Structures are given as C-alpha cells and as structure tokens.
Amino acid sequence: MTRRSAASIPHSAASADTAEIPADLLATLGPLGRAGWCLLVGLVAIVCWGAGAYIYQLRHGLAATGMNDYFSWGLYIINYIFLIGVGMAGTLISAMLRLTGASWRRSITRLAEAITLFALLLAGPMIMIDMGRPDRFLNLLIHGRLQSPILWDVFSLNTYLAGSLLYLYLPMIPDMALLRDCSAPFAPWRRRLYRVLALGWHGDARQHRRLEKAMAIMAIIILPVAVSLHTITAWIFGLTLRPGWHSTIIGPDYVIGALYSGIAAVITVMAIFRRSFHLEKYLTADHFRKLGLLLLTLCAVYFYFTLNEYVGPSFVTETAEIPLLAHIFHGPYTVVFWSMATVGFLLPGLLLALPWTRNIPGIVTASVLVNIGMWLMRFIIVVPTLSAPYLPFPPGTHYHYVPTLVEWSITAGAFAAFGVLYLVFAKLFPIVSIWETMETEPKEATVPVAANQPAEEVLV
Amino acid sequence: MNLDRRHFLRLGMATAGAAAVAAAGFETATAAQTPAPGNSGAAGGVSGGNAGGKTMKVMTTDGQLLEVPAGQARQIKLPVLSSADIRQGIPGRRFVMMIDLAKCDGCGQCTKSCGQMHFIPPDRQWIRVFQMQDSPATAPYYMPRPCFHCDNPPCTKVCPVGATFKREDGIVLIDNERCIGCRFCMAACPFNARCFNWGPPNDPPAALAEGYSPEHGFPRRIGTAEKCDFCPDMARQGKLPDCSSGCPMGAIYYGDQNEDAVTNSQGETLRFSQTLRDRAAFRYREDLGTQPRVYYLPPVNRQYPGPDLHSKKGDQA
Ligand code: SF4
Ligand code: SF4
C-alpha cells in the first residue's frame, strides 16, 4: 500500500459512520451473551479460588507448597517460564512478521500482542507468589544488586511489558478513533474511553506517517528486548553450577522454546475467536496454514536444540550428569519426559507435517498439544536438575517434589486470570484491527487473500 | 527501612538494661538454655547496682551461675556491632576449617551441637554428615559438610538484594532482615548448604530473647534463607565453633589462616599450611571453582570403620 492510499483511509475514518466498520467486526464488541457470561463467571470463580489459595499461602508461608530445601523451586517458576514463553507470541507475529514484510499478519497482530501483554502481566505476579517475602519486594529497589541475574530479569521483564503495551496500543489508536466516531450504540463511558484512547486522532497524513514510524521503531526495539528476556531467564538457570542447567546452549534454547510455545498460543487463541466471534473471514484457513508451517519449523528447530541438550551428556556420562539422566530416562520423571516428547514434539510434528492433517482442526490440535508439551518441558527443565545434587541426598532423607493443592490452585487461578483479561479485552476492543484489515481489503466484501497483494509489502 | 528496624531493636535492648544479657547471651546455647528469668534477674541487678549488702546472680562467660555482692558487679559492654561491621567481618582474620576425615566416625555430634547452639529445627541441618564413596572399589567414609564459605561463592553472586554476602574474614553470611526469599542462592550453591524457612519459624524463647544478628542467624524469620555461619560470634570470643568443640573425635579444626593455625576440640593446634601439605589435603569438588574455605584431610589410616553403605545406616560410634 502506498502512502497516498494509506492517507486516504483516515479521511474516510474521520467521517466514519458504522458502515465504515465491517459489521462482523463491530459485532465482536456487542453484548457478551449467555455462554460468554457463563465462561466469565466460571473463570472469575477460578481466579477467586486461586486468590484464596494465595491468601492461605501468605498465612502459612511457602510451607503450603511442596517445595523443600532440595527442591527449592517448583510450579511457580515453571509457570513463570511458560508464561513469558507464551509472551513471545506478540513479538513474533507483530515484529518479526512485520520486519519480514508478511502482510497477512495484519488481522492477527492485535490478538497476538494481547497474548503477550496478558501473559507478561501474569508472569510478574508469578515471581512475587514464589517469593518467600513478597512484603520485601521493595528491597529490589533499595538494595538491588545489578550483578544479580534476577535484577536483569526484573528490568527486562518490565521493559518488555512496557514495550508490549505500547506496541499493542499504537496500532489501536486509529481504531479507537473509528469507534469514537461510529454510530454504534455504545454506552457513554465506553465512548468516552474510546475518545480518550484515540488521543485526538483524526487520521491526516502526518498522523499516519508518525504512527507508521512509531510502529516501525517499536518493531525493531521490541525484538532484542524479547530475546533478552528469554535469554536472561535462561541464565537464571544457566549461571548456576547445576548439571542440566549449566549449559551454553540454554539461552538460545529458551528463545526457541518461547517462539515455539508463543506461536502455539496464537493459533489456539485464533481458533477460539474464529469460532466464538465468527471471524472466519479475517482469521482464514490461510492464516492457520502459514502459522502451522511456522510452528512445524520451530518444532523441528526446538527438537534439534533439545536433542543437543541430551545427546552430549548421555554420550559422555559425566559423573554429575548420570543421576540427572537416570532420573529423566528411567526414574521418577520418565513419564513426564516421554509425555512431553510425545505431546510436545511427536504428535504435533506429525499433525503439522502430514498434508492430510495440515488443516484447521489438525493445526489447532497440534497447537494445543504444543502448549501442554511446552509446560511439561518447563517442568523437565526445572525439577529433575534439583533432584540430582552433586552431594547425594543425605542418608535417611526422602526429598521429592509433589506440588500441593495450593500450588495447583494458584496455577489454575493464574491461567483463568489470563482468560478473564483476554475476554474483557476482546469485548472492549476490536480483537482484529479494523483499520489495518480495511487497508488490506480493497473491497469490504471480498475475502482477503493477502498473497494476491504484493503492493502491500512496500509499506511494511 | 531494615536499618531503622535493626536500630530500633538494638535501642530497645539497650534501654531495657539488657546489655548484660546480650553480652551473656552471646555465650552460646548454655547461657540461652538457662531459664530466661534468671537472666533478666541478673540484668535487673546490674541496672540497680547501687544496692548495699545485696548479692546478685550473674552468669559467667563459661555458663556458670554465680552469686556476687551487687556492689562488685560491673557491667561490661560488648561492642555493639553495626550492620556495616557485620558486613565487613572481623578485621585481619581469615577463617578456615580443616576436617580430618580419618578421624570422623560419623557420630553426628557436630550436627547436634550446632543444632543446639543455633536452635536449628529438626527438619534441617547446617552441618550435615554425608556418607561418601568415591568409587566402587574404594572405602566409604563419612564427610561432614558445613557451608564451605567459598572464596568464589556462587551463592552471593546471584543474590538480588545483597542479603547474603562475603566478608573480608572469609565468612559468607545471610541477613534475614533483608532476604526476599527468592531462593536463587539455594539453587546456586552446588553443595546444598542452604536451608529455607518455609513456614513460620518455631524458635524457642531462648532464641527469641536474643537480638538478631547474621552472625548467629536467629531468631529466624519466615521466608528467608539460612545456613552455617562459621560461628563468627564465637570467634569474636576466641572460641571454636560448636561443631568443632562438639566433635568427640577432634576431627574438626578451625582457625585463622593469617595465624596459620587451626585447633580442634582436643586442644590440638596444627600449623595449617604445613598440615595441608603433609597430609595431602583437598577441597571438595575443586573442579567447580568455588574455592571452599573448608579443607579435608583424606580418610587414610582410619582408626574407625567407615559407613556400611549397603545396610540401612552405618552407625558405629
Ligand atoms: S558452600 Fe554453598 S552456601 Fe556456602 S559459600 Fe559455598 S556456595 Fe555459598
Ligand atoms: S533467598 Fe535471600 S539470600 Fe538467597 S538469593 Fe534470595 S534474597 Fe538473597
């Protein structure tokens, strides 16, 4: 799309009436409906349950968890890594696809950025929940040591969070203006919200130029920040003297793992909204196919990384690695490990690779499996290493890690909170970017086939 | 905030006229184990020291309760250690430990004495006796493992708030008034020397009666890390750590590397550097590069049988 035609949109946007906004997109902002309310109430109930569990934990300390002096990290840290991994989704779709000029991303960028934002919003609290003294949180500022990887992680997470928020918000401004000006019967507070968020956008060429510039800059800035977050989180493990963690490959390993679970999360969320919000026109089979292929690629790459993690130690069998490998391959974590391998690599790999299953149901099934598999993968990264200390377990002790109900409840609460945030967001704001998809479609009625519009690439 | 709190605590102790108790309180578990009323009685007597023919009870540094004329009692002030003092360490000292594995018979007295002195709950141990066997054909042996107070400590490097720190005298301590309970240090210590207060601590009154100092590690606080502290509070009084003095075999030597001398519970003092050379001393897992301050003498020419790793527990005391 050329700049001239980009500028032509806003003129129509400025004088927008409801007809300018595709009815099916506007419909997503309508009332929640019965099923929606049931879902929301159910999710809120789970969040409350999780909050109750946390209050219980605050009262009894981390003794309410299954952690102990040997297994000093558990479910919360696993959830943290998983969540920031999912948070890679937005960056991947918005920034990487933007920089590579893949214009088909337009209808899914917002959906992906929202995943990032909410996953990160929950990742921070996960760390707080894991802290023995959340009341001393400010010590990180008062006594913070820049030499500690935890501080790097705090900075990185917050930078990424702020960046993602900005990156989600910037492309929303023209949409806010559209909604502000449209004739749909929004409640007054809602219209006021749109007015405030529209920041006085009236869509002249200058504003558009600035927006495009800001988005392009953000796309470049956010990439290294995202990579840093995953690398630093990996270093929290990699910079310790522990078999299984102390590995040179662990940084890139986490980044690839995050991309892998990020895409899977995007596909899963896409499938949910396509169904429930009737967005078949915008989230097309083509989107699923392209993301499916991306997922397949990352499946292969991540498998390759994982293979590297295990082949070396298994072949060399260094003394310290032996108990770790024994626990993973024929010990307490064997079932988890092979479930992870099946659900995280084998099944999705097959589903995505075979042409007969590379359709929407197949791709969506694969992504759901990848989500589960990647969570299990994080378990395999964190827990077995703690089960294999250099000094053997002292005689007469039986240390093991079994997460308690409190931990599971808080975990469930966190994931439900993700659902609540996402649902509220999708009801309040158009989940598919209106102005960007309108740019893509020359005629509103035609089914968008992005590949047919090479001119698009110029702008991006 | 933490500083204020600590000052407040110290001020509180001083105004309560409890400086004498605090002084006596440093006197290990023996002092603390005597009923608290006796202590406070002594303190009360000191503060009202002008009474004529009256006598008062005081506790000596080695834990005896004496009755003396009140007029003769004088309050000795131990230097109050500021948090900066505690973080810096004892000037001019470099504490080391040397454990003679040939003498260790695995009785676990070190663990017990340490536990008594530091009021350690039964679910954890600061010094732990491991049963080791380096290879199938070699003899099993017992290895007590305190915190190694590594010179290149991976634990302090990762602490986000500097709650655990390395001092100039070589000792690695934890300040449980600052610790945020992230447990990164526990993951970073390759020797699992660190424990955590997972639940609310259940310290006995004697422990609570004493002011907190990272140099003895109690009263405990929920959600904070703890570990062997190398007993700098004992060292300040020129005494051995309790694991060392509690070892009936005299296997644990402790001393100052600058003085080049280490001493055990039997009063045997060895030249540190010479012994390391003569007896082919080693440090556990030198390859990890943490540079422990705890040296081991190899379990050769043992007078005691090693652990029987195939039966339940080789207890041959
Ligand atoms: S033994 Fe562990 S806790 Fe002690 S100084 Fe070394 S690394 Fe730190
Ligand atoms: S648990 Fe406490 S001492 Fe250990 S690294 Fe965290 S803040 Fe520092």
Side-chain angles (χ1 to χ4, degrees):
Chain A
M1 175 138 316
T2 63
R3 195 146 280 161
R4 186 185 48 77
S5 58
S8 71
I9 299 287
H11 289 304
S12 50
S15 61
D17 54 312
T18 327
E20 280 296 327
I21 303 174
D24 42 4
L25 286 186
L26 201 59
T28 64
L29 302 175
L32 200 50
R34 245 192 52 182
W37 276 110
C38 287
L39 179 67
L40 189 63
V41 169
L43 289 176
V44 169
I46 299 176
V47 174
C48 291
W49 174 261
Y54 184 53
I55 290 171
Y56 179 86
Q57 178 183 305
L58 279 180
R59 186 158 314 151
H60 293 84
L62 289 171
T65 70
M67 291 185 275
N68 51 58
D69 287 346
Y70 276 82
F71 293 90
S72 50
W73 280 338
L75 235 48
Y76 302 142
I77 295 290
I78 295 168
N79 289 337
Y80 172 75
I81 312 173
F82 180 76
L83 281 170
I84 60 161
V86 165
M88 192 69 158
T91 306
L92 172 91
I93 303 294
S94 321
M96 295 195 190
L97 295 189
R98 182 186 174 86
L99 291 174
T100 50
S103 60
W104 53 271
R105 73 190 151 78
R106 283 166 180 267
S107 49
I108 55 173
T109 47
R110 182 158 311 153
L111 181 146
E113 272 302 332
I115 296 179
T116 296
L117 181 68
F118 299 134
L120 294 184
L121 273 181
L122 289 167
M126 257 311 150
I127 290 291
M128 293 275 285
I129 289 169
D130 186 67
M131 274 167 60
R133 298 300 298 244
D135 54 317
R136 294 181 182 173
F137 182 72
L138 282 181
N139 277 8
L140 282 173
L141 300 180
I142 304 170
H143 301 292
R145 282 179 75 244
L146 277 179
Q147 303 95 315
S148 166
I150 291 206
L151 234 66
W152 311 345
D153 216 37
V154 170
F155 286 131
S156 182
L157 180 70
N158 285 315
T159 313
Y160 191 32
L161 185 63
S164 302
L165 184 63
L166 212 56
Y167 204 0
L168 174 69
Y169 176 55
L170 281 177
M172 256 168 67
I173 297 175
D175 273 5
M176 294 297 96
L178 279 172
L179 291 172
R180 173 194 63 194
D181 302 333
C182 83
S183 56
F186 290 131
W189 65 268
R190 224 170 139 172
R191 202 171 291 279
R192 209 173 316 129
L193 178 71
Y194 294 142
R195 182 171 322 116
V196 171
L197 290 179
L199 289 184
W201 176 271
H202 46 268
D204 56 32
R206 213 183 85 241
Q207 282 186 334
H208 256 280
R209 229 175 7 252
R210 286 196 176 158
L211 182 67
E212 287 294 341
K213 200 167 182 182
M215 280 161 61
I217 292 174
M218 279 310 295
I220 293 170
I221 289 179
I222 202 91
L223 270 178
V225 176
V227 171
S228 84
L229 177 60
H230 295 282
T231 310
I232 290 168
T233 305
W235 283 350
I236 288 196
F237 298 89
L239 301 185
T240 61
L241 287 163
R242 297 251 179 189
W245 289 353
H246 185 52
S247 129
T248 46
I249 205 180
I250 198 162
D253 187 273
Y254 270 48
V255 176
I256 298 294
L259 282 175
Y260 189 36
S261 64
I263 300 186
V266 172
I267 298 179
T268 312
V269 172
M270 266 168 61
I272 293 172
F273 279 98
R274 181 183 152 93
R275 237 316 171 47
S276 53
F277 278 23
H278 311 290
L279 294 173
E280 287 84 355
K281 202 174 110 190
Y282 302 95
L283 309 174
T284 62
D286 192 48
H287 284 116
F288 282 91
R289 220 173 5 254
K290 283 192 166 117
L291 285 178
L293 285 176
L294 214 53
L295 191 64
L296 178 61
T297 315
L298 280 158
C299 178
V301 177
Y302 196 47
F303 175 74
Y304 166 75
F305 272 76
T306 308
L307 196 68
N308 271 278
E309 286 277 9
Y310 291 105
V311 168
S314 309
F315 193 88
V316 177
T317 61
E318 202 187 314
T319 322
E321 310 261 8
I322 293 174
L324 173 64
L325 295 169
H327 293 173
I328 290 178
F329 291 115
H330 39 87
Y333 306 109
T334 312
V335 176
V336 187
F337 180 81
W338 290 112
S339 312
M340 181 277 291
T342 315
V343 173
F345 291 112
L346 184 67
L347 291 181
L350 284 177
L351 282 172
L352 295 167
L354 300 176
W356 313 283
T357 48
R358 204 190 302 138
N359 45 33
I360 295 187
I363 293 171
V364 173
T365 314
S367 341
V368 173
L369 290 177
V370 169
N371 282 323
I372 300 170
M374 281 301 96
W375 193 90
L376 294 175
M377 182 62 161
R378 270 59 197 244
F379 185 93
I380 288 293
I381 291 175
V382 174
V383 179
T385 283
L386 294 170
S387 79
Y390 284 118
L391 274 161
F393 281 144
T397 57
H398 304 280
Y399 287 100
H400 50 259
Y401 177 58
V402 183
T404 59
L405 184 62
V406 171
E407 286 169 281
W408 287 119
S409 305
I410 291 178
T411 304
F415 286 109
F418 180 86
V420 172
L421 288 172
Y422 211 99
L423 191 59
V424 171
F425 177 81
K427 271 291 149 193
L428 221 47
F429 305 107
I431 194 70
V432 171
S433 175
I434 300 173
W435 70 279
E436 279 183 293
T437 39
M438 276 159 63
E439 265 187 12
T440 320
E441 296 172 76
K443 286 278 184 296
E444 209 184 294
T446 53
V447 177
V449 186
N452 292 348
Q453 297 173 356
E456 280 293 315
E457 323 274 297
V458 180
L459 182 69
V460 203
Chain B
M1 260 195 317
N2 274 325
L3 266 178
D4 288 351
R5 181 180 163 79
R6 197 174 298 144
H7 276 143
F8 169 76
L9 283 177
R10 193 170 293 127
L11 206 70
M13 270 166 49
T15 47
V21 180
F26 270 115
E27 237 358 274
T28 79
T30 5
Q33 273 162 2
T34 50
N39 271 343
S40 56
V46 171
S47 55
N50 52 357
K54 279 193 189 162
T55 60
M56 57 179 289
K57 292 191 178 96
V58 292
M59 184 169 284
T60 64
T61 45
D62 41 2
Q64 292 174 21
L65 204 58
L66 299 179
E67 212 163 59
V68 295
Q72 288 178 16
R74 227 171 352 109
Q75 181 175 350
I76 301 170
K77 279 212 180 103
L78 279 191
V80 178
L81 296 170
S82 72
S83 119
D85 293 336
I86 288 176
R87 284 187 167 258
Q88 192 204 347
I90 308 176
R93 317 295 295 272
R94 270 163 78 219
F95 295 106
V96 278
M97 189 175 273
M98 189 178 82
I99 300 178
D100 189 348
L101 298 176
K103 285 187 178 163
C104 176
D105 70 348
C107 70
Q109 275 304 323
C110 50
T111 311
K112 283 200 199 93
S113 328
C114 169
Q116 270 170 17
M117 158 163 183
H118 297 99
F119 308 102
I120 297 175
D123 67 339
R124 66 196 81 156
Q125 296 173 352
W126 283 6
I127 180 167
R128 196 155 219 165
V129 183
F130 285 86
Q131 300 182 356
M132 308 291 285
Q133 188 173 26
D134 293 342
S135 58
T138 58
Y141 57 93
Y142 293 107
M143 188 182 100
R145 184 239 48 208
C147 165
F148 289 152
H149 296 270
C150 308
D151 276 344
N152 182 19
C155 53
T156 64
K157 277 194 215 170
V158 298
C159 180
V161 294
T164 180
F165 50 90
K166 174 86 179 167
R167 315 199 307 178
E168 279 169 24
D169 58 8
I171 295 181
V172 172
L173 290 182
I174 304 170
D175 179 355
N176 80 12
E177 293 177 326
R178 188 187 282 192
C179 172
I180 60 170
C182 65
R183 310 191 295 295
F184 199 0
C185 56
M186 300 179 73
C189 169
F191 313 112
N192 288 79
R194 289 173 171 252
C195 317
F196 197 70
N197 288 292
W198 297 98
N202 193 14
D203 282 329
L208 297 174
E210 267 185 68
Y212 173 72
S213 162
E215 292 205 347
H216 56 238
F218 55 82
R220 299 182 156 69
R221 283 183 178 82
I222 185 173
T224 58
E226 66 174 57
K227 67 166 187 68
C228 155
D229 56 21
F230 241 35
C231 287
D233 52 340
M234 302 293 278
R236 282 186 196 275
Q237 303 164 47
K239 290 187 175 176
L240 290 177
D242 267 43
C243 55
S244 172
S245 58
C247 173
M249 307 297 163
I252 304 182
Y253 296 76
Y254 182 85
D256 181 349
Q257 194 167 11
N258 287 343
E259 288 171 356
D260 199 19
V262 285
T263 309
N264 70 356
S265 60
Q266 262 119 47
E268 182 191 0
T269 298
L270 299 176
R271 198 156 277 299
F272 178 62
S273 54
Q274 187 73 36
T275 317
L276 293 190
R277 276 198 298 273
D278 291 351
R279 304 276 305 273
F282 67 94
R283 299 188 289 193
Y284 180 70
R285 298 260 3 201
E286 194 75 57
D287 56 323
L288 295 179
T290 70
Q291 303 185 22
R293 294 201 70 74
V294 176
Y295 288 79
Y296 289 101
L297 301 180
V300 290
N301 298 329
R302 274 181 295 175
Q303 302 108 353
Y304 307 97
D308 180 359
L309 288 180
H310 302 291
S311 79
K312 260 271 158 78
K313 182 173 178 355
D315 199 21
Q316 299 112 348

